[in-house]
């Protein structure tokens, strides 16, 4: 890139090239990691948006019936989310234990981990 004004000295060009050579490779793995995280997070984001959309659609469909049915939808959604979050917590906690036991062929330990988790 041509410079305007003072000509660059060879020393400043060497320094600029050295800085750019060090900065560019270190940023490359960062963007690769960001793309990998986005690929992993995208299905989770879509699932969460689906849950929110389900509650919104329930409210829209029942909204014409009045405030009592809307309140019932709110209570029902709270009960559903409570059960769902408990189940997710249980599954996430047991995931590693059961998969390792199953992979090792130890069915008794699979059942034991499930019983202890519940």
């Amino acid at each position: 890139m041509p410079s305007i004004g003072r000509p660059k000295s060879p020393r400043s060009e060497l320094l600029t090239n050295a800085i750019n050579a060090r900065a560019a490779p270190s940023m490359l793995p960062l963007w690769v990691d960001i793309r990998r995280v986005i690929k992993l997070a995208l299905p989770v984001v879509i699932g969460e948006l689906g849950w929110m959309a389900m509650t919104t659609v329930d409210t829209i469909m029942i909204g014409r019936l009045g405030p009592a049915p809307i309140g019932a939808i709110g209570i029902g959604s709270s009960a559903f989310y409570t059960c769902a979050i408990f189940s997710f917590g249980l599954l996430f906690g047991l995931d590693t234990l059961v998969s390792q036991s199953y992979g090792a062929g130890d069915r008794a330990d699979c059942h034991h981990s499930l019983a202890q988790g519940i």
Side-chain angles (χ1 to χ4, degrees), residues 34-94:
I34 288 174
R35 285 187 186 127
R36 288 179 182 165
V37 168
I38 289 173
K39 282 182 182 178
L40 286 174
L42 192 61
V44 175
V45 169
I46 291 170
E48 290 297 321
L49 289 173
W51 277 38
M52 289 189 284
M54 184 176 67
T55 304
T56 304
V57 169
D58 287 346
T59 304
I60 290 170
M61 296 293 289
I62 299 298
R64 297 179 187 177
L65 299 178
I70 291 176
I73 289 293
I75 292 172
S77 294
S78 296
F80 170 73
Y81 286 129
T82 301
C83 294
I85 289 171
F86 173 76
S87 300
F88 284 152
L90 181 68
L91 289 174
F92 290 151
L94 291 174

Side-chain angles (χ1 to χ4, degrees), residues 16-47:
T16 304
N17 290 340
I19 290 171
N20 289 338
R22 287 187 183 149
S26 67
M27 292 300 291
L28 183 63
L30 176 67
W31 287 109
V32 170
D33 288 341
I34 288 174
R35 285 187 186 127
R36 288 179 182 165
V37 168
I38 289 173
K39 282 182 182 178
L40 286 174
L42 192 61
V44 175
V45 169
I46 291 170

